Structure formats: C-alpha cells, structure tokens
Amino acid sequence: MIRDIVVYPDKRLKMVSEPVERFDEELHTLLDDMYETMIAKNGVGLAAIQVGVPLRVLIINVPVETDSEDPRVQQPKENTLEVINPVILDAEGKTRYQEGCLSVPGYFEEVDRYKEVRIEYQDRYGKKHIIEDDEFLSIALQHEIDHLDGKVFVEKLSIIKRKKFEKEWKKRLKNR
C-alpha cells in the first residue's frame, strides 16, 4: 500500500523515533508499504517517520543500471536494505554530496557528511548485521538515520543557504 509522505515543515519530522521491539507481521507490512511508497515517489531511501510512523526503521534501495524505465526493475524489492534500530559504530572522513528528500520534494542541495560509516542494525526478523560503506550508501544511511533522530537534511545547510531555503519553501507551500 502506498502511504502519504510527511512533508516539511510537519512537526512529526522533528520526532525522535522509538526503537522497534516487535519483529512481527505489522513491522513486515510497514516495510513492504515503505518500499511501495518509495518506488511510487521515485526515492532511494525512506524512514518510517516520513510515512508518519515514529519507529527506528528505514529502507534504502540504490538503483541498478538497466535499460528499463520501470523503477521496479531498477530498484528490485530484493535489493532493498531494511535497517531497523541502526547504531552508527564508526564514522570517518568527510565528503559533500547533493541530496534531496521525499519530505522536501523538488529541493536539492549539497550537504557535508562522513565519507565512511559502519552501522549495526537488525533486519525484519530481528537478526543483527553490520554494514560498512564509503560510497552513496554511506550518504543515504546517514540521511535516513538523521530522520530517525528528528533531523531533515536542510538543517545541515549553512545559515545563508538555510534562510534562502526557508523563504523559497514558504513561498512554494503558499502557492500549492
């Protein structure tokens, strides 16, 4: 089921999400719905709070190269990384990457992040895993974990860029 995306500056995006304690059918349905929603909205990552559920759950599906225009072929469900209760074990280096967000549709800006991260998380069945990356997945993981901590990427912008964004965003929301 495709769920509605919570759009900035909705106060729910400021909530710190709660740890998942039950790895049950309700969680599996949430994960499946998040995948459907992310694909429908042309995203590569989605945190549960972005669909109004304050749980420490996120998904990422980095597109694979293909001739197909169908996002389900470019981002097959079996390639989806389901990350529950993530904990950053290590983060180092610096990088800058242009980010966008389904909760801030149509806005893109460069953001400073750690180059490499190592994260411990649980899968949909509660089994623990560790993932380490220093490419796009590292950026996506940090972006989505920020959502779980009540932060949106625009909060990482310089004061000047942030003020410009807020002014343009208010104007855009008013003209909707």
Side-chain angles (χ1 to χ4, degrees):
M1 177 179 86
I2 297 170
R3 300 191 187 198
D4 291 334
I5 299 279
V6 175
V7 176
Y8 184 85
D10 191 301
K11 289 183 181 1
R12 290 175 287 180
L13 294 171
K14 291 276 193 201
M15 294 176 69
V16 175
S17 296
E18 296 292 322
V20 171
E21 295 176 359
R22 290 188 357 257
F23 295 81
D24 57 9
E25 195 57 42
E26 191 175 330
L27 174 65
H28 297 184
T29 299
L30 171 63
L31 288 162
D32 294 342
D33 288 356
M34 286 173 64
Y35 170 78
E36 294 295 324
T37 303
M38 181 185 72
I39 293 300
K41 303 294 184 180
N42 298 313
V44 296
L46 188 66
I49 194 62
Q50 290 179 273
V51 291
V53 180
L55 289 175
R56 296 192 74 77
V57 174
L58 66 89
I59 62 168
I60 295 172
N61 190 314
V62 179
V64 293
E65 288 195 33
T66 173
D67 292 338
S68 175
E69 294 293 316
D70 183 355
R72 289 176 198 283
V73 174
Q74 296 170 356
Q75 294 173 276
K77 191 167 193 312
E78 61 272 13
N79 286 6
T80 305
L81 179 63
E82 298 175 334
V83 178
I84 300 155
N85 299 330
V87 176
I88 297 176
L89 300 174
D90 195 27
E92 54 189 51
K94 295 279 181 218
T95 190
R96 179 173 283 193
Y97 198 87
Q98 187 176 60
E99 296 184 24
C101 181
L102 293 177
S103 289
V104 190
Y107 183 78
F108 302 88
E109 190 58 71
E110 286 195 342
V111 176
D112 292 327
R113 297 277 183 193
Y114 288 107
K115 170 92 174 106
E116 183 176 348
V117 294
R118 194 164 70 98
I119 293 169
E120 181 180 77
Y121 69 96
Q122 291 169 280
D123 63 22
R124 68 168 50 210
Y125 304 105
K127 184 174 183 229
K128 287 196 175 188
H129 302 270
I130 291 182
I131 190 165
E132 193 169 333
D133 193 76
D134 65 356
E135 295 184 13
F136 178 74
L137 181 58
S138 167
I139 305 291
L141 284 163
Q142 292 173 76
H143 178 108
E144 299 306 334
I145 289 171
D146 275 356
H147 277 300
L148 304 183
D149 294 332
K151 297 181 183 88
V152 179
F153 86 102
V154 295
E155 295 170 31
K156 293 191 166 292
L157 302 178
S158 69
I159 292 169
I160 293 168
K161 283 185 180 179
R162 178 85 187 267
K163 284 186 180 197
K164 183 178 180 220
F165 161 76
E166 294 291 351
K167 186 177 175 184
E168 291 172 5
W169 193 251
K170 280 180 187 160
K171 200 182 296 180
R172 187 192 292 183
L173 291 178
K174 207 180 285 182
N175 295 332
R176 270 180 139 188

